[in-house]
Amino acid sequence: MLCTQPCIRYRSCPNSKQLTANRGLIKVYNEDNTCRAVEVPSDITARDICQLFVLKNHCIDDHSWTLFEHISHLGIERTIEDHESVMEVLSGWGMDTDCRLYFRKNYAKYEFFRKPLDFFPDHMVSISSETNGMVDHSQLIQTFLNSSTCPEIHGHLHAKEQSRKSWKKFYFVLRRSGLYFSNKGTSKEPRHLQFIADFSDSDVYTVLSAKKRHGAPTDYGFCVKSTKGSSGRDMKLLCADDEQTRTCWITAMRLLKYGMELYQNFIQPHQKQKASPMRSISENSLVAMDFSGQKSRVIENPSEAMSVAVEEGLSWRRKSCHRLSGHGSPSTSHSSLLNMALHLGQPWFHSKLSREEAQRIITQQGLIDGMFILRDSQSNPKTFVLSLCHMQKIKHFQIIPVDDDGELFYSLDDDQTRFTDLIQLVEFYQLNRGVLPCKLKHHCARIAL
């Protein structure tokens, strides 16, 4: 029987630029800048590429894996939408430009469908200048998706003046017809609005290191750039005063450009799960069992299954300590050594990571509540730091080791709550908020391609 599926072959990535898009060969980069060259059919989409690498690397497909377009010489990048043709994106790159595809997580990709209030502040949104009415947030996303209506996004932004190094603050208005700025205060009269760009042949990008590279007032830069070519001549550089404002503008521009296609991207994985609930044999064959009695039984209560799993994990640690001690009772020193090393293999632990690098990684993978990294402290080598995102801001919490008669514990609330190791600490705060502003939800993941 002949196979009708497109053939995809993996190759180790050479240093030279021999692999080019015109032969159906693309290079995909990881966060550590290692890459994999892949031969693909010409109609492959960003979602197809992500699925390919998810399967190859045995990742959990939680629909957050994303393909990014990164234009190094301009210092900008954007999410390539799941339905976009990857070869079409590559066709807009110049031959001598340093443009790359990156594969990494983006938990915030469709979060605005779940929590529109977090993305669209009241003071930035209205229905239209004609109705003079405020948006009903329960219908906000629907008005974006409806081709005959559109919320109006408005507010102040800094704009870089053409052929100059200076930035100037203007009042901007985003409508379905395009992006405008007012040349007279906050006036929205047609005679005062000057057209900047539409999105039929433009994309919106995040500007990386806007202050350093472009002299922007803040680092919350973004830009609108034509899809035709990768030069910066036609790039409209903008800058917001805070992350929430930048996120609002970028999200609104994505919705205006793609509309219902974004919603289809969002619901498609969930529809597949409903249509085919048996996603994999191994996944659905795992059930919680109780073997403590004379007869085994399936644990159907999720809460009971969770408590059994936690207790089993703690029991495993106690047995490991016992084995390491080499005699009848667990050795305190060996137990402490084991507890100190248990976290090293966990995907949420990033060893020698600076505060700035932690913030960069969390920002890249999505500023949604519960995104976190646990890392070594740079200022105090014997402590650890939990970097956590809440309300699109990243906060850092110090985890201090506590020595109690030679036994080591960990605490981040001034010794009010103790944990035998960092795994136990993370598991606790995944289930309980405690002193944190929110529960731990998503850890920042790095994989080798």
Side-chain angles (χ1 to χ4, degrees):
M1 183 175 180
L2 292 175
C3 176
T4 59
Q5 295 299 315
C7 177
I8 298 175
R9 296 192 292 272
Y10 294 96
R11 304 183 183 184
S12 58
C13 185
N15 293 325
S16 65
K17 294 187 177 181
Q18 293 175 345
L19 302 181
T20 56
N22 57 11
R23 291 191 294 159
L25 291 167
I26 63 172
K27 288 193 289 188
V28 179
Y29 287 79
N30 191 8
E31 284 179 300
D32 62 2
N33 287 321
T34 58
C35 67
R36 174 77 70 170
V38 192
E39 188 172 354
V40 297
S42 59
D43 61 347
I44 197 163
T45 65
R47 186 192 294 277
D48 295 333
I49 295 286
C50 290
Q51 295 264 314
L52 180 68
F53 282 100
V54 162
L55 290 171
K56 178 198 173 297
N57 292 284
H58 310 291
C59 304
I60 296 174
D61 188 8
D62 55 5
H63 317 304
S64 63
W65 291 103
T66 306
L67 205 61
F68 286 83
E69 178 188 10
H70 181 94
I71 305 180
S72 301
H73 66 285
L74 298 180
I76 60 176
E77 71 174 22
R78 73 174 181 98
T79 294
I80 301 178
E81 307 299 349
D82 287 339
H83 66 274
E84 283 190 79
S85 165
V86 176
M87 303 306 281
E88 283 186 17
V89 173
L90 270 60
S91 68
W93 295 357
M95 293 298 293
D96 299 324
T97 56
D98 186 9
C99 302
R100 294 181 176 186
L101 297 175
Y102 276 89
F103 173 69
R104 63 171 182 260
K105 281 182 174 285
N106 180 12
Y107 288 102
K109 183 164 57 171
Y110 301 125
E111 190 70 7
F112 54 86
F113 284 120
R114 301 184 184 94
K115 298 179 180 179
L117 286 172
D118 292 352
F119 286 77
F120 299 102
D122 282 333
H123 67 276
M124 291 184 63
V125 186
S126 59
I127 293 177
S128 68
S129 56
E130 289 80 13
T131 59
N132 292 319
M134 296 306 292
V135 168
D136 176 3
H137 275 92
S138 63
Q139 300 296 319
L140 175 61
I141 297 298
Q142 190 58 43
T143 57
F144 268 114
L145 301 180
N146 189 337
S147 59
S148 63
T149 63
C150 178
E152 182 182 271
I153 308 299
H154 47 77
H156 285 95
L157 290 170
H158 304 273
K160 192 173 188 297
E161 298 187 83
Q162 289 287 345
S163 305
R164 294 187 182 180
K165 293 183 178 180
S166 59
W167 290 73
K168 194 172 181 179
K169 202 166 190 177
F170 293 98
Y171 188 77
F172 281 80
V173 178
L174 180 65
R175 295 174 177 169
R176 190 166 291 283
S177 56
L179 179 66
Y180 303 83
F181 76 92
S182 176
N183 57 20
K184 188 176 181 180
T186 59
S187 172
K188 297 181 185 178
E189 292 185 30
R191 61 197 177 102
H192 295 143
L193 292 180
Q194 293 194 18
F195 177 79
I196 291 290
D198 65 23
F199 299 95
S200 58
D201 59 353
S202 298
D203 288 308
V204 58
Y205 292 78
T206 298
V207 177
L208 309 173
S209 304
K211 289 177 72 174
K212 182 178 180 180
R213 184 180 284 266
H214 300 287
T218 75
D219 262 329
Y220 306 112
F222 63 103
C223 72
V224 179
K225 190 187 77 65
S226 170
T227 55
K228 300 168 184 175
S230 56
S231 73
R233 288 191 300 271
D234 58 349
M235 196 164 66
K236 309 295 191 303
L237 282 167
L238 304 167
C239 177
D241 286 326
D242 54 64
E243 184 60 61
Q244 187 182 40
T245 302
R246 175 170 71 170
T247 300
C248 178
W249 285 102
I250 291 177
T251 305
M253 291 173 183
R254 287 175 61 205
L255 278 164
L256 276 178
K257 181 175 175 66
Y258 296 109
M260 189 58 73
E261 286 178 303
L262 283 192
Y263 185 68
Q264 292 297 331
N265 292 343
F266 168 61
I267 64 172
Q268 185 179 344
H270 305 289
Q271 288 177 333
K272 284 185 177 180
Q273 287 178 4
K274 288 179 181 178
S276 179
M278 296 296 286
R279 294 187 296 280
S280 72
I281 296 173
S282 59
E283 181 180 338
N284 290 276
S285 61
L286 296 175
V287 295
M289 300 288 293
D290 177 15
F291 297 100
S292 59
Q294 292 183 344
K295 292 184 178 181
S296 61
R297 67 183 181 91
V298 175
I299 304 175
E300 297 181 352
N301 187 318
S303 299
E304 184 186 359
M306 176 64 76
S307 64
V308 168
V310 171
E311 177 56 35
E312 189 172 297
L314 294 175
S315 174
W316 172 83
R317 288 176 200 144
R318 287 193 292 268
K319 289 176 182 176
S320 298
C321 294
H322 182 83
R323 285 196 299 271
L324 283 177
S325 67
H327 42 73
S329 59
S331 162
T332 301
S333 60
H334 280 89
S335 175
S336 296
L337 280 172
L338 177 67
N339 292 345
M340 288 174 66
L342 278 172
H343 58 272
L344 295 176
Q346 298 303 309
W348 39 255
F349 185 76
H350 297 242
S351 182
K352 296 178 181 179
L353 202 67
S354 68
R355 182 190 184 100
E356 292 73 23
E357 188 70 4
Q359 292 188 165
R360 184 189 67 81
I361 293 172
I362 292 176
T363 301
Q364 280 186 339
Q365 299 199 10
L367 289 172
I368 65 172
D369 289 357
M371 281 288 295
F372 74 97
I373 280 177
L374 207 142
R375 57 190 175 86
D376 291 317
S377 172
Q378 299 292 297
S379 57
N380 189 343
K382 293 186 178 180
T383 66
F384 301 93
V385 177
L386 173 68
S387 299
L388 173 67
C389 179
H390 179 246
M391 299 295 289
Q392 297 185 4
K393 294 181 179 178
I394 300 169
K395 302 179 181 180
H396 306 273
F397 302 87
Q398 194 167 49
I399 300 170
I400 300 173
V402 179
D403 192 317
D404 188 352
D405 291 332
E407 194 167 357
L408 192 64
F409 297 93
Y410 297 92
S411 176
L412 58 69
D413 58 2
D414 296 325
D415 203 20
Q416 296 298 309
T417 313
R418 293 182 174 185
F419 303 95
T420 57
D421 55 57
L422 296 181
I423 296 178
Q424 192 183 62
L425 182 146
V426 168
E427 288 174 347
F428 175 84
Y429 287 108
Q430 285 175 327
L431 299 173
N432 309 275
R433 192 180 77 175
V435 296
L436 300 177
C438 63
K439 296 177 186 177
L440 307 184
K441 188 174 182 181
H442 302 293
H443 66 267
C444 291
R446 281 176 161 177
I447 64 163
L449 293 179

